[in-house]
DNA sequence: CGAGGGGTTGACGCCGATCAAAGCTGGTGG
DNA sequence: CCACCAGCTTTGATCGGCGTCAACCCCTCG
């Protein structure tokens, strides 16, 4: 309730100037392409595309695209975390999905939709490739393998959404917060096995509970040494302890 | 809690004998194929498939497939409602998705998975086509259009899951039940604009609340004439009234 | 007609939403 | 380098909603 968008339409121009435009993407030389949407597509393919693929950087809290707007781009996340958000008419703010490197967002444009279904917001610094729809279409025709990549991406997001419903959508607040931490650690770990602690508002929006409740539970976990601050927003956790609380004994 | 599976492994043999096997499907003559996975695929294609597509009937409450089992079939729903269910280790029973005619289930087998992710159970009488994976593969190669049909199906299910998270996963019990009724009416209406009332346990499993709470809210809605029994499990509802309660003003 | 499985209703206690206020902390500018 | 400030986290107090246990009712089906 009473949630205000990080950056609204009114300031969209400001967003654009905030984005560091990094210029033409070099898919042929992309060292993480095996993780991305274009895995398996030969380097030569990118010479033939109709419209170029650009590479952008978004600062924490900035909007990547807004629900309902009609755009012509899919985004492939290279680095950072993106939240897909939704605000109900009565102001209720909910996060529908949290996505990291290797995931493509805005895929709904390939099917039924003529506009994005949710608003995508960068959580930390996000690094992504902006792919025009016609380019995808062209590559799909040339390399049917891309259809499978798209389907795989959709299937992964469906699995994520289902897991969300099952693990984060029911039971007590404490159990849900414990599940959320396990979820963050499992899906978006850093190289040292730590995870990025989100702010209270975002965790509340993921779990459908009040921010104060989140805070109380997190504070309790810290006191019980189930959570340890490593550096900045990075935390380590007691896996067994939290699994116990989450009801996975 | 304490939920018992409708039909467990132990009685799987019984299930099979319960299924009315209706024999070879006639995709070439299927009058609802334009709604199904194979929309747009020419009749002639079905002469070339490696393994036949069969047509089955499932009685209410029977298991179509079970989570974790390794099978080789996708199912395309022709008639009836199917629930995808999940039971947590501690016995918590949750419904992840409700699917009707035109939807394909078990698509996870096409990607990462080598087993079904959820258990699919018939809610009312369900009529579906059982499609072997190799048949799908073959048709995909011959008709890349099928890739798009699969992706569209996944996208629709993703939309459904997201909607689930947003509308059914938060706020008060009364608001959620109201949303659920609107959801049932919108997504699975019968020809007269009625909807199928689920049993309390299923509604509770969809919303993540107690069955008693569901019962209380539904009973209240009936008293307020927001719900009217039409026939059997079919009900009509006061759309404006429920939208008001749901917070859609 | 009888048994059984759901649905309904009541009583009670706890969890968590809400309102309010104080404590922290990272970032900014002097 | 320090002081300050805005926004976030933490904590408290209160109260309503809903989970839980239990009893009873009703409808269906054998």
């Amino acid at each position: 309730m009473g949630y205000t968008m990080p950056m609204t339409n009114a300031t969209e121009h400001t967003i654009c100037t905030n984005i560091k435009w990094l210029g033409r993407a070099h898919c042929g030389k992309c060292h993480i392409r095996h993780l991305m949407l274009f895995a398996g597509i030969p380097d030569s393919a990118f010479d033939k595309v109709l419209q170029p693929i650009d590479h952008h950087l978004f600062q924490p809290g900035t909007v990547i695209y807004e629900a309902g707007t009609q755009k012509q781009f899919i985004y492939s996340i290279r680095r950072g975390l993106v939240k897909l958000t939704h605000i109900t008419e009565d102001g209720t703010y909910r996060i529908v999905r949290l996505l990291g490197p290797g995931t493509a967002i805005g895929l709904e444009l390939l099917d039924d939709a003529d506009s994005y279904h949710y608003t995508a917001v960068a959580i930390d610094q996000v690094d992504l490739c902006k792919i025009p729809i016609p380019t995808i279409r062209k590559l799909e025709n040339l390399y049917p393998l891309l259809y499978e990549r798209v389907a795989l991406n959709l299937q992964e997001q469906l699995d994520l959404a289902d897991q969300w419903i099952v693990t984060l959508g029911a039971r007590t607040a404490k159990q849900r917060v414990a599940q959320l931490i396990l979820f963050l650690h499992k899906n978006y770990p850093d190289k040292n096995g730590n995870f990025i602690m989100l702010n209270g508002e975002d965790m509340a929006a993921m779990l459908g509970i009040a921010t104060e409740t989140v805070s109380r539970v997190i504070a309790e976990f810290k006191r019980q040494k189930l959570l340890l601050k490593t550096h900045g927003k990075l935390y380590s956790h007691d896996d067994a302890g939290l699994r116990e609380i989450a009801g996975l004994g």
Side-chain angles (χ1 to χ4, degrees), chain A:
Chain A
M1 303 287 188
Y3 177 80
T4 48
M5 286 285 297
M7 307 275 161
T8 63
N9 282 325
T11 55
E12 191 167 346
H13 180 67
T14 318
I15 299 169
C16 293
T17 60
N18 281 345
I19 296 167
K20 269 211 247 163
W21 186 81
L22 300 179
R24 197 72 6 112
H26 306 290
C27 297
K29 293 180 192 159
C30 175
H31 64 288
I32 57 168
R33 193 163 94 241
H34 63 286
L35 301 172
M36 309 290 283
L37 194 62
F38 292 146
I41 309 289
D43 295 359
S44 61
F46 301 99
D47 303 334
K48 305 172 195 160
V49 300
L50 302 172
Q51 294 177 34
I53 296 165
D54 287 337
H55 184 195
H56 291 253
L57 214 61
F58 286 80
Q59 296 307 319
T62 53
V63 173
I64 296 165
Y65 57 72
E66 199 144 346
T69 58
Q70 185 171 357
K71 296 285 170 55
Q72 290 295 324
F73 302 98
I74 305 287
Y75 297 85
S76 186
I77 306 173
R78 290 170 54 84
R79 193 163 54 90
L81 277 183
V82 174
K83 56 182 174 185
L84 298 190
T85 69
H86 180 261
I87 299 181
T88 320
E89 327 183 14
D90 66 354
T92 314
Y93 165 59
R94 292 232 57 192
I95 296 180
V96 167
R97 214 165 310 127
L98 209 57
L99 300 166
T103 305
I105 56 177
L107 290 175
E108 59 265 36
L109 296 187
L110 292 178
D111 289 314
D112 44 348
D114 52 0
S115 64
Y116 298 113
H117 287 168
Y118 294 94
T119 298
V121 179
I123 289 195
D124 45 11
Q125 181 156 303
V126 168
D127 184 351
L128 40 72
C129 288
K130 184 174 171 182
I131 310 164
I133 302 285
T135 297
I136 297 267
R137 298 275 184 226
K138 170 104 184 204
L139 289 171
E140 278 180 339
N141 284 333
L142 293 173
Y143 307 96
L145 172 66
L146 184 53
Y147 284 121
E148 289 176 41
R149 298 293 309 172
V150 169
L152 180 60
N153 226 296
L154 286 171
Q155 182 67 56
E156 283 171 0
Q157 292 196 43
L158 187 56
D159 290 345
L160 219 48
D162 289 343
Q163 200 187 336
W164 205 280
I165 293 169
V166 170
T167 65
L168 306 181
R171 317 173 76 219
T172 71
K174 193 190 285 190
Q175 288 175 311
R176 294 202 223 183
V177 173
Q179 292 271 18
L180 174 56
I181 291 163
L182 296 171
F183 178 88
L184 290 173
H185 175 74
K186 178 182 162 200
N187 291 290
Y188 319 104
D190 86 337
K191 53 219 167 217
N192 302 320
N194 297 315
F195 68 93
I196 300 170
M197 180 69 78
L198 306 179
N199 66 36
E201 188 176 36
D202 281 345
M203 290 193 280
M206 291 175 77
L207 300 173
I209 62 180
T211 61
E212 294 93 329
T213 304
V214 171
S215 173
R216 269 182 253 271
V217 174
I218 294 282
E220 185 187 337
F221 285 171
K222 285 179 187 170
R223 269 181 246 115
Q224 299 175 226
K225 306 292 180 206
L226 293 166
L227 287 178
L228 287 175
K229 185 178 207 160
T230 303
H231 175 69
K233 290 178 177 174
L234 292 177
Y235 281 74
S236 64
H237 75 291
D238 174 348
D239 205 80
L242 287 177
R243 289 179 61 83
E244 179 75 25
I245 290 173
L248 304 173

